Amino acid sequence: GAVVSQHPSWVICKSGTSVKIECRSLDFQATTMFWYRQFPKQSLMLMATSNEGSKATYEQGVEKDKFLINHASLTLSTLTVTSAHPEDSSFYICSAREVSGRAYEQYFGPGTRLTVT
Amino acid sequence: GQNIDQPTEMTATEGAIVQINCTYQTSGFNGLFWYQQHAGEAPTFLSYNVLDGLEEKGRFSSFLSRSKGYSYLLLKELQMKDSASYLCAVMDSNYQLIWGAGTKLIIKP
């Protein structure tokens, strides 16, 4: 089956620094990747949708200058949390949709737990 | 607006059967998904329904009624490892997933 990896799986950073999270589709090509954030005991919240080679589409309320998304290839998307603050501490999950797959097939990465101190 | 409703928490006994309901109101419909999420982990796919009726997959079954905007996930022969959150999500007309808040299922011995 299709596999999506994320790196790192967890990260601790100091307030004011930037953190980059990678999302890779390992055995398929993904035209579209999605970035989610999940706070404890809450459901997934879509942050942005990124299409390979074009600018990401951000959901309302998500600061595009703070959460930089780059989808440079069909197998890699990155999320950079800039000038991180403690309130950015969360579980970040990406998912990827296959190029030739049916519209509904999305595969999730294992998630990255970010803690900002 | 778009809305997905499911119970916040349910408790069931090991070996029993539990049904988790989900109602939805979305702009367009391109299928309904159920995901299982253990604490601290990403969601894993359980089922996908786009036509009315029951889809059975081992101990898990999922039902859909599009006219009623209603689905349920049925878990049989419950095991302790089934303790998790179960997320209902609907794909809207733009092929975006609209997520419910999730149902935390607690299994007791």
Side-chain angles (χ1 to χ4, degrees):
Chain A
V3 179
V4 176
S5 70
Q6 276 184 246
H7 178 79
S9 55
W10 61 269
V11 59
I12 302 173
C13 71
K14 292 187 176 180
S15 187
T17 61
S18 296
V19 174
K20 180 186 284 188
I21 303 170
E22 291 185 351
C23 177
R24 293 181 185 272
S25 55
L26 298 185
D27 50 2
F28 67 98
Q29 293 185 320
T31 44
T32 305
M33 287 185 171
F34 304 88
W35 286 97
Y36 294 87
R37 182 167 52 181
Q38 186 176 36
F39 293 106
K41 300 184 180 180
Q42 295 185 26
S43 190
L44 297 172
M45 186 183 75
L46 180 66
M47 298 175 67
T49 302
S50 89
N51 292 294
E52 185 264 337
S54 62
K55 290 183 179 180
T57 302
Y58 289 82
E59 295 299 300
Q60 194 172 8
V62 178
E63 299 173 59
K64 62 180 181 182
D65 294 330
K66 179 171 180 63
F67 298 99
L68 302 178
I69 292 172
N70 185 287
H71 192 163
S73 77
L74 284 171
T75 59
L76 173 64
S77 176
T78 60
L79 168 67
T80 302
V81 182
T82 63
S83 187
H85 288 98
E87 56 265 31
D88 298 324
S89 298
S90 187
F91 192 43
Y92 292 86
I93 308 171
C94 73
S95 71
R97 182 181 289 164
E98 273 191 275
V99 172
S100 57
R102 289 160 288 187
Y104 62 78
E105 292 199 36
Q106 269 186 50
Y107 306 98
F108 283 86
T112 297
R113 186 159 302 283
L114 170 64
T115 301
V116 184
T117 60
Chain B
Q2 308 204 91
N3 195 48
I4 311 279
D5 284 317
Q6 50 181 132
T8 304
E9 187 174 296
M10 299 182 71
T11 302
T13 304
E14 189 177 15
I17 299 173
V18 71
Q19 178 175 309
I20 303 174
N21 295 324
C22 171
T23 58
Y24 63 89
Q25 289 179 307
T26 57
S27 54
F29 180 84
N30 278 300
L32 185 144
F33 297 77
W34 284 96
Y35 285 86
Q36 180 190 60
Q37 186 178 26
H38 285 100
E41 299 179 11
T44 55
F45 172 82
L46 289 178
S47 67
Y48 170 73
N49 294 68
V50 67
L51 300 176
D52 290 349
L54 185 69
E55 295 273 346
E56 297 187 75
K57 193 186 293 185
R59 294 190 298 115
F60 293 7
S61 302
S62 57
F63 172 83
L64 174 68
S65 169
R66 288 172 295 171
S67 62
K68 295 181 179 178
Y70 166 71
S71 172
Y72 67 73
L73 179 69
L74 190 72
L75 292 77
K76 303 176 185 176
E77 302 170 18
L78 286 170
Q79 302 175 9
M80 297 303 294
K81 67 178 181 180
D82 297 330
S83 292
S85 286
Y86 291 86
L87 307 176
C88 173
V90 173
M91 186 163 278
D92 68 10
S93 55
N94 294 318
Y95 294 99
Q96 277 215 19
L97 282 177
I98 311 300
W99 293 87
T103 298
K104 183 179 180 180
L105 178 63
I106 300 168
I107 310 296
K108 295 186 176 180

